[in-house]
Amino acid sequence: MPAVVELSVQKKLVALWRVAKTTYRAAPLAVFVKLLNALIDAILPIVTAYFAALSTTALADAFAGKAGSAEMATTYVIITAAIGMVQVAWSSVERYIAELARYRIDAAVSDQLHLHFSRIEFWRYDDKSTADLFDKAQNFAYFFSRFFDTIAQMISSIIQAIIAMIALTTINAWLGAVILVAVIPSMWVQLALSRLSSAHWKKNVETRRRMSQIRWSSFQAKNFAELRMYGIVSHLIAWHARLRDIDKKGQIDYERKYITKRLGAQLFEAAAELGILLYIVGEIIARRQPIGQFVYAQSLVTRALSSVGSLINQYSSMDEDLATLFDYDAFMAIPTGEQGRTSLTVLPKIISVENLSFAYPNAEQEVLHDISLSIKRHQHIAIVGENGAGKSTLIKLLLGLYEPSRGAITIDGVDLREVKKADWHRQLGVLHQDFVQYWYTNARDNVRFGDINSDFNQARYRQALDRAEARSFVEKLPKGDLTNLDKWLEHDDGTPGVDLSGGQWQRLALARNFYRQSPIVILDEPTSAIDALAESRIFSHLFKDKQHTLIMISHRLSTIERADVIYMMKDGRIAESGTHQELVALKGEYFRMFKDQLR
């Protein structure tokens, strides 16, 4: 079991101050209301108990025939009822403000987290330690407002406990001390459980991630056919159950181990409470104290014990949340991708790859070795090679998502690392083989997202559909291009959405790329799910357009043979380069790879 790092008092205070500032910026009124509510929650119950005790004494006196006691009893009952009405009215107002504040706080913290996630260095998306830290940070972001509520509840519990103990000391100076001693065992048990629970949660981050992935995969409609045909469903359910036992049952086991300790602590508290009440009874009988004093003392003891008990539970919860706050801070401290200082205001004349070698972060073996090539403006380039040759990795470096281990990529002589990433990415239209499917919206959005920062252009949109061979199937959808692309998403009139085929999705992705109208187009296996005739027409459009620089990866000879220059990669190196005719004539790696298609 990994040890849980003990946070110093100073670190906890700094963390609490940070939470307070974040909360105040998101919802300043909520902070004031929460503090006011903490005071009201602490004071009114004790005031209510005080007047209830006076009512009891007045009723006893009235029963004994004491003059004026009935009127006093009535007055105290009315006051007690009025306090109750104030509490009810205030709770309604406070509930609304608390819900509004919770919404604003959660939104602010969660949005900050996800925005930062979108800006971190790209290699971190493949880094397990970063993924674990992000999971922990998300846990804090999702429950940030709950953490603020816990702080408010702690303030209320502290005030209530202090007032109750002070009130008890007016009866006897030692009663407050007895309460403090009585709660020590419960405090120890709860804090010990909190440490174990926190350590268990941290240890099983990966377990919960795997559970989530199994649940997601198992209930995707597109996976049902294989899952049922292969009989995998029961296996996955059993696997999920084993992981659930590791995560959830482990926490329950801690509770089982501490049952006797918790019971002993609770019995100790009960004995202290009984002792105090017996003392009060004795005082009432021996010294003829008002009978309402017993009701008042009983309420104070109950309030003191429950407040201290609540404080312990809240502190334990806060202690765990503070640990996740530091995880949140650690994630937010991860540097974003380095932004170059050089602006890119004109279309590049030449992209040069100079003696580039690359190994993925935390990996020793290089996947690219001493690669050099150049891509001129408006040139059409094809990069080919067997799976694992390094083609897609080279594209990632050209996009600026990773930085070379050695060598450089330059744009008109300027190192890509020095170029502002936003400027460079505006020049690019990219379609990967694992392209994004925006299934939660309609067909038009799937194309329009190619240039979301500009007003929608109908002419560009129709042209993009035509170039991608997508217009015919889009127009046949139940609601045209406004059709939802998931059969589970109904339209307002009840019309269901539709599921597209792989080829249709790929055509929409191509249309999105064309709608972008970027001067540099990068395609990584862009038509793998599209039939040969449609692919031929699509690439005819691409190769006829001499206003774009085209960089593509493909395994179809009919596509790549039209490129101006072909780079043949093998084992992370450029093995050959030239036109299709030149490479065929070499009878080398290119010829061997495509000889069946050549026939």
Side-chain angles (χ1 to χ4, degrees):
M1 176 74 65
V4 178
V5 178
E6 182 70 25
L7 301 177
S8 66
V9 174
Q10 181 180 3
K11 284 185 175 181
K12 289 180 180 179
L13 291 175
V14 169
L16 290 173
W17 176 245
R18 193 179 305 121
V19 170
K21 287 197 299 183
T22 302
T23 304
Y24 184 78
R25 285 196 296 266
L29 178 61
V31 174
F32 172 77
V33 171
K34 275 291 181 184
L35 293 176
L36 179 61
N37 186 65
L39 286 171
I40 291 174
D41 280 350
I43 295 172
L44 285 189
I46 292 177
V47 174
T48 301
Y50 175 74
F51 281 102
L54 292 178
S55 299
T56 303
T57 299
L59 285 171
D61 290 343
F63 185 77
K66 187 175 181 180
S69 297
E71 292 79 3
M72 292 298 296
T74 302
T75 301
Y76 293 145
V77 168
I78 292 172
I79 293 173
T80 303
I83 294 173
M85 292 175 64
V86 170
Q87 283 183 295
V88 170
W90 169 252
S91 65
S92 298
V93 175
E94 191 276 334
R95 188 180 298 112
Y96 163 73
I97 296 176
E99 287 296 327
L100 179 62
R102 192 173 294 115
Y103 164 73
R104 289 182 176 174
I105 294 167
D106 283 345
V109 174
S110 182
D111 287 351
Q112 289 173 10
L113 174 70
H114 290 101
L115 182 62
H116 187 73
F117 179 76
S118 71
R119 293 175 174 174
I120 62 176
E121 298 162 303
F122 191 83
W123 66 266
R124 289 188 176 274
Y125 298 127
D126 296 323
D127 179 57
K128 181 181 179 301
S129 60
T130 302
D132 287 346
L133 190 59
F134 180 63
D135 282 350
K136 297 173 185 176
Q138 282 192 107
N139 185 68
F140 177 77
Y142 292 153
F143 297 104
F144 186 91
S145 60
R146 185 198 68 182
F147 184 33
F148 178 62
D149 288 342
T150 300
I151 296 175
Q153 291 165 6
M154 286 180 65
I155 294 172
S156 178
S157 296
I158 290 171
I159 295 172
Q160 192 170 105
I162 291 173
I163 293 175
M165 289 181 186
I166 290 174
L168 280 171
T169 57
T170 61
I171 300 174
N172 186 291
W174 288 100
L175 296 184
V178 171
I179 294 295
L180 282 176
V181 172
V183 299
I184 289 176
S186 291
M187 184 183 301
W188 177 83
V189 170
Q190 188 59 45
L191 291 178
L193 275 171
S194 172
R195 297 296 192 276
L196 289 172
S197 178
S198 180
H200 181 82
W201 188 89
K202 287 176 177 290
K203 180 182 177 181
N204 288 284
V205 168
E206 188 169 343
T207 299
R208 285 187 295 276
R209 184 185 300 127
R210 193 184 299 275
M211 288 169 60
S212 177
Q213 290 170 343
I214 292 173
R215 285 196 303 269
W216 172 258
S217 174
S218 299
F219 292 101
Q220 291 295 298
K222 63 183 179 181
N223 298 339
F224 286 165
E226 179 171 326
L227 292 177
R228 293 183 64 173
M229 286 176 61
Y230 287 19
I232 302 175
V233 175
S234 58
H235 170 76
L236 292 178
I237 291 174
W239 189 5
H240 185 275
R242 289 195 299 272
L243 295 173
R244 183 179 58 215
D245 285 347
I246 292 172
D247 184 35
K248 300 297 183 184
K249 191 171 180 296
Q251 292 180 329
I252 296 172
D253 287 342
Y254 293 141
E255 292 286 344
R256 177 177 56 79
K257 293 176 182 178
Y258 274 76
I259 285 178
T260 54
K261 296 182 179 67
R262 188 190 292 276
L263 180 60
Q266 290 171 341
L267 289 174
F268 187 67
E269 282 186 13
E273 182 177 7
L274 177 61
I276 291 173
L277 295 179
L278 289 175
Y279 170 79
I280 297 299
V281 170
E283 287 291 296
I284 291 173
I285 295 173
R287 303 187 181 185
R288 296 186 177 277
Q289 297 291 332
I291 192 170
Q293 189 175 54
F294 177 82
V295 176
Y296 183 47
Q298 183 184 37
S299 178
L300 289 177
V301 171
T302 302
R303 288 286 172 186
L305 288 175
S306 64
S307 297
V308 175
S310 296
L311 181 61
I312 294 169
N313 291 329
Q314 291 152 4
Y315 177 83
S316 299
S317 172
M318 184 198 74
D319 205 37
E320 294 177 31
D321 287 339
L322 280 179
T324 60
L325 169 61
F326 282 89
D327 292 327
Y328 177 89
D329 284 345
F331 181 82
M332 296 299 288
I334 291 176
T336 56
E338 293 185 10
Q339 299 294 318
R341 299 180 180 179
T342 304
S343 297
L344 189 62
T345 57
V346 297
L347 177 62
K349 294 180 180 178
I350 187 167
I351 304 167
S352 297
V353 180
E354 304 167 358
N355 303 314
L356 180 147
S357 296
F358 176 72
Y360 282 99
N362 303 320
E364 297 180 2
Q365 187 175 359
E366 290 184 341
V367 293
L368 298 177
H369 315 281
D370 297 319
I371 290 179
S372 295
L373 57 86
S374 62
I375 305 168
K376 299 176 183 178
R377 183 193 294 178
H378 300 157
Q379 198 172 33
H380 295 163
I381 299 297
I383 302 173
V384 300
E386 296 179 354
N387 293 333
K391 306 183 298 296
S392 294
T393 299
L394 177 58
I395 293 298
K396 290 177 181 178
L397 271 80
L398 287 171
L399 296 176
L401 302 179
Y402 290 95
E403 295 183 356
S405 303
R406 290 182 287 113
I409 298 173
T410 61
I411 310 298
D412 291 339
V414 179
D415 195 312
L416 182 57
R417 285 170 285 205
E418 299 300 320
V419 175
K420 291 181 179 178
K421 292 295 188 296
D423 285 357
W424 175 234
H425 290 162
R426 273 193 291 269
Q427 303 281 344
L428 306 175
V430 184
L431 177 60
H432 295 285
Q433 52 187 316
D434 53 346
F435 57 88
V436 179
Q437 299 177 3
Y438 300 100
W439 51 266
Y440 40 80
T441 186
N442 56 51
R444 180 185 294 179
D445 281 347
N446 268 266
V447 178
R448 185 176 64 89
F449 284 177
D451 187 10
I452 198 66
N453 295 315
S454 301
D455 293 335
F456 178 67
N457 187 304
Q458 185 70 28
R460 279 173 60 190
Y461 168 70
R462 290 183 176 278
Q463 184 184 43
L465 288 177
D466 289 338
R467 295 183 67 189
E469 298 276 325
R471 188 168 177 178
S472 59
F473 86 80
V474 167
E475 290 179 344
K476 293 176 182 177
L477 295 174
K479 288 189 171 293
D481 62 359
L482 297 181
T483 302
N484 290 329
L485 301 185
D486 188 297
K487 67 181 181 181
W488 303 108
L489 294 177
E490 289 187 351
H491 297 81
D492 292 340
D493 62 0
T495 303
V498 299
D499 286 336
L500 300 183
S501 68
Q504 289 172 326
W505 272 117
Q506 202 160 48
R507 293 186 197 196
L508 277 185
L510 271 169
R512 180 163 64 245
N513 194 289
F514 293 144
Y515 181 78
R516 187 171 176 80
Q517 292 190 339
S518 300
I520 301 172
V521 177
I522 300 177
L523 305 174
D524 185 353
E525 295 286 357
T527 55
S528 58
I530 298 175
D531 63 85
L533 288 176
E535 182 201 33
S536 178
R537 292 192 296 268
I538 289 169
F539 274 97
S540 292
H541 295 309
L542 283 169
F543 284 112
K544 286 178 183 177
D545 187 353
K546 291 298 183 180
Q547 299 304 308
H548 292 80
T549 303
L550 178 61
I551 305 169
M552 61 180 173
I553 295 174
S554 180
H555 287 93
R556 290 187 179 179
L557 185 62
S558 60
T559 297
I560 61 178
E561 64 183 355
R562 290 184 269 185
D564 298 324
V565 181
I566 302 170
Y567 290 95
M568 175 70 195
M569 293 189 65
K570 183 176 182 180
D571 299 330
R573 301 179 186 274
I574 299 293
E576 299 167 356
S577 64
T579 65
H580 168 72
Q581 291 79 9
E582 290 170 346
L583 294 180
V584 170
L586 283 176
K587 303 290 185 179
E589 296 294 337
Y590 180 83
F591 177 81
R592 281 190 287 274
M593 181 173 178
F594 292 102
K595 62 182 179 181
D596 288 339
Q597 294 187 54
L598 286 166
R599 291 171 182 167

